[in-house]
Amino acid sequence: MDDVTILGTGSPMKDVRILGTGACVPDRIVSNDEVGAPAGVDDAWITRKTSIRERRWAAPEQATSDLATAAARAAMQAAGITAEQLSVIAVATSTPDRPQPPTAAYVQRNLGASGTAAFDVNAVCSGTVFALSAVGSIVLRRGGYALVIGADVYSRILDPADRKTVILFGDGAGAMVLGPTGRGPLVRHVALHSFGALSDLIQVPAGGSRLPLDHDGLDAGLQYFAMDGREVRRFVVEELPQLVKGFLHEAGVESQDISHFVPHQANGVMLDEVFADLSLPRATMHRTVTHYGNTGAASIPITLDAAVRQGAFRPGELILLAGFGGGMAASFALIEW
């Protein structure tokens, strides 16, 4: 991609381990028929295009921080730690409770984790691995326990009539507890990439300092999530395989060494196409997109937690996490179980 600026970082992670995972999805199940009707499409069309059959949407009183807090509590219970033992909380989200303060501050308050640093990361659907990288570095320097949370409530920013977007997204949160102790899966390597020249492919046009939201913006629907689906798909299909190949080379592993692939759950049909091109001959791809849809930054930790609870991973196996989405951005983590 000659016309795209690529900023990439890769780094080994020594002695940072995942001590527990957790997830939370809302109770409300939204069918394809319900979400498709205002957009003029039906269940068969949505399933054929996306492999999504249903998704969860937050209740009116639920915000991103509520889902993030529930996922965090589940991860902390799995890790066997309390809020008093946390030193940092990072929430990856592009649908914060409010423009400020950070959603992580509400999570900190909800958990009673008064002694922590708390901040948000917005790398859209790649955000959880970006947050993992940042928090892992803090754990390496300072020790202690850290929470990495991916959480999004996309149902609040979707145009009901836009069939390109409204059919894809669900709400949810997933979390990981990180620590420097000798037990638990090891985070071996991470890499982050940003493609700023493609920043307009996925956006919410109004509501920031570039274009404050006013009555004219509301009338024009500029408060809604917008995506150039064709170009986003082209980016993922063309760029992800070579980025994965480069990441594995940098991490010092072969493609046949990967046992499990946990990608961002963008679109089930696209995931099948991409996975076929990744040349991971012994890997199992894990999916939650069929029942939860695309949950933004939450999709990787939700899917990871589902695999953990199913007992899918065995000691010594290598797991590849892969995020990709708005920015455009891509992010990878190699986990040794």
Side-chain angles (χ1 to χ4, degrees), residues 85-90 115-119 135 138-139 142-143 145-148:
Q85 294 175 274
L86 292 170
S87 60
V88 61
I89 300 170
T116 64
F119 61 92
V135 167
I138 294 171
V139 169
R142 299 178 56 185
Y145 298 101
L147 265 174
V148 173

Short mmCIF file of all heavy atoms in Angstrom, two decimals, residues 85-90 115-119 135 138-139 142-143 145-148:
data_model
loop_
_atom_site.label_atom_id
_atom_site.label_comp_id
_atom_site.label_asym_id
_atom_site.label_seq_id
_atom_site.Cartn_x
_atom_site.Cartn_y
_atom_site.Cartn_z
N GLN A 85 -6.08 -4.51 44.92
CA GLN A 85 -4.81 -4.99 44.38
C GLN A 85 -4.49 -4.44 43.00
O GLN A 85 -3.39 -4.64 42.50
CB GLN A 85 -4.82 -6.52 44.33
CG GLN A 85 -4.87 -7.20 45.69
CD GLN A 85 -5.01 -8.70 45.56
OE1 GLN A 85 -6.11 -9.24 45.44
NE2 GLN A 85 -3.88 -9.40 45.58
N LEU A 86 -5.43 -3.72 42.39
CA LEU A 86 -5.21 -3.17 41.07
C LEU A 86 -4.32 -1.93 41.12
O LEU A 86 -4.43 -1.12 42.05
CB LEU A 86 -6.53 -2.80 40.40
CG LEU A 86 -7.46 -3.95 40.02
CD1 LEU A 86 -8.82 -3.40 39.60
CD2 LEU A 86 -6.85 -4.78 38.90
N SER A 87 -3.48 -1.78 40.11
CA SER A 87 -2.67 -0.57 40.00
C SER A 87 -3.05 0.28 38.80
O SER A 87 -2.76 1.48 38.77
CB SER A 87 -1.18 -0.92 39.93
OG SER A 87 -0.91 -1.74 38.81
N VAL A 88 -3.71 -0.31 37.79
CA VAL A 88 -4.08 0.45 36.60
C VAL A 88 -5.28 -0.20 35.93
O VAL A 88 -5.44 -1.43 35.95
CB VAL A 88 -2.88 0.56 35.61
CG1 VAL A 88 -2.43 -0.82 35.14
CG2 VAL A 88 -3.22 1.45 34.42
N ILE A 89 -6.14 0.66 35.35
CA ILE A 89 -7.31 0.22 34.59
C ILE A 89 -7.28 0.94 33.25
O ILE A 89 -7.21 2.18 33.20
CB ILE A 89 -8.63 0.56 35.31
CG1 ILE A 89 -8.71 -0.13 36.68
CG2 ILE A 89 -9.83 0.17 34.45
CD1 ILE A 89 -9.86 0.36 37.55
N ALA A 90 -7.33 0.19 32.15
CA ALA A 90 -7.40 0.78 30.82
C ALA A 90 -8.65 0.26 30.13
O ALA A 90 -8.86 -0.96 30.04
CB ALA A 90 -6.17 0.43 30.01
N GLY A 115 -7.12 3.39 44.33
CA GLY A 115 -5.67 3.58 44.25
C GLY A 115 -5.09 3.39 42.86
O GLY A 115 -3.86 3.39 42.71
N THR A 116 -5.93 3.27 41.84
CA THR A 116 -5.43 2.95 40.51
C THR A 116 -5.31 4.19 39.63
O THR A 116 -5.95 5.20 39.87
CB THR A 116 -6.36 1.96 39.79
OG1 THR A 116 -7.62 2.61 39.59
CG2 THR A 116 -6.56 0.70 40.59
N ALA A 117 -4.49 4.06 38.59
CA ALA A 117 -4.57 4.97 37.46
C ALA A 117 -5.61 4.42 36.50
O ALA A 117 -5.73 3.20 36.32
CB ALA A 117 -3.22 5.08 36.76
N ALA A 118 -6.39 5.31 35.88
CA ALA A 118 -7.47 4.86 35.01
C ALA A 118 -7.51 5.74 33.76
O ALA A 118 -7.56 6.97 33.87
CB ALA A 118 -8.81 4.91 35.73
N PHE A 119 -7.49 5.10 32.59
CA PHE A 119 -7.50 5.87 31.35
C PHE A 119 -8.17 5.07 30.24
O PHE A 119 -8.30 3.85 30.33
CB PHE A 119 -6.08 6.27 30.93
CG PHE A 119 -5.16 5.11 30.66
CD1 PHE A 119 -5.02 4.59 29.37
CD2 PHE A 119 -4.40 4.55 31.68
CE1 PHE A 119 -4.16 3.53 29.11
CE2 PHE A 119 -3.54 3.49 31.43
CZ PHE A 119 -3.41 2.97 30.14
N VAL A 135 -0.73 -1.22 28.90
CA VAL A 135 -0.81 -1.66 30.30
C VAL A 135 0.28 -2.69 30.60
O VAL A 135 0.85 -2.70 31.70
CB VAL A 135 -2.21 -2.22 30.59
CG1 VAL A 135 -2.23 -2.98 31.90
CG2 VAL A 135 -3.22 -1.09 30.62
N ILE A 138 3.32 -0.97 31.63
CA ILE A 138 3.23 -0.46 33.00
C ILE A 138 3.47 -1.57 34.00
O ILE A 138 4.19 -1.40 35.00
CB ILE A 138 1.85 0.19 33.22
CG1 ILE A 138 1.71 1.44 32.35
CG2 ILE A 138 1.65 0.54 34.69
CD1 ILE A 138 0.32 2.03 32.33
N VAL A 139 2.90 -2.74 33.74
CA VAL A 139 3.11 -3.88 34.63
C VAL A 139 4.59 -4.25 34.69
O VAL A 139 5.13 -4.55 35.76
CB VAL A 139 2.25 -5.09 34.17
CG1 VAL A 139 2.66 -6.35 34.93
CG2 VAL A 139 0.77 -4.79 34.38
N ARG A 142 6.28 -1.36 36.82
CA ARG A 142 5.84 -1.05 38.18
C ARG A 142 5.33 -2.25 38.95
O ARG A 142 5.13 -2.17 40.16
CB ARG A 142 4.75 0.02 38.12
CG ARG A 142 5.21 1.33 37.50
CD ARG A 142 4.07 2.33 37.44
NE ARG A 142 3.46 2.56 38.74
CZ ARG A 142 2.38 3.33 38.93
NH1 ARG A 142 1.79 3.90 37.90
NH2 ARG A 142 1.89 3.51 40.13
N GLY A 143 5.06 -3.36 38.25
CA GLY A 143 4.49 -4.51 38.94
C GLY A 143 3.02 -4.29 39.22
O GLY A 143 2.38 -3.38 38.69
N TYR A 145 -1.15 -5.47 39.57
CA TYR A 145 -2.15 -6.06 38.70
C TYR A 145 -2.84 -4.97 37.89
O TYR A 145 -3.01 -3.84 38.35
CB TYR A 145 -3.19 -6.83 39.51
CG TYR A 145 -2.61 -7.97 40.30
CD1 TYR A 145 -2.36 -7.85 41.66
CD2 TYR A 145 -2.31 -9.19 39.68
CE1 TYR A 145 -1.82 -8.90 42.39
CE2 TYR A 145 -1.78 -10.24 40.39
CZ TYR A 145 -1.53 -10.09 41.76
OH TYR A 145 -1.00 -11.13 42.46
N ALA A 146 -3.25 -5.33 36.69
CA ALA A 146 -3.87 -4.37 35.79
C ALA A 146 -5.10 -4.97 35.14
O ALA A 146 -5.17 -6.18 34.91
CB ALA A 146 -2.88 -3.94 34.71
N LEU A 147 -6.06 -4.11 34.85
CA LEU A 147 -7.26 -4.49 34.11
C LEU A 147 -7.20 -3.91 32.71
O LEU A 147 -6.97 -2.70 32.54
CB LEU A 147 -8.51 -3.95 34.79
CG LEU A 147 -9.28 -4.84 35.76
CD1 LEU A 147 -10.39 -4.04 36.42
CD2 LEU A 147 -9.87 -6.05 35.04
N VAL A 148 -7.38 -4.75 31.72
CA VAL A 148 -7.56 -4.30 30.34
C VAL A 148 -8.99 -4.68 29.95
O VAL A 148 -9.37 -5.85 30.03
CB VAL A 148 -6.57 -4.98 29.39
CG1 VAL A 148 -6.89 -4.62 27.94
CG2 VAL A 148 -5.15 -4.58 29.73
#
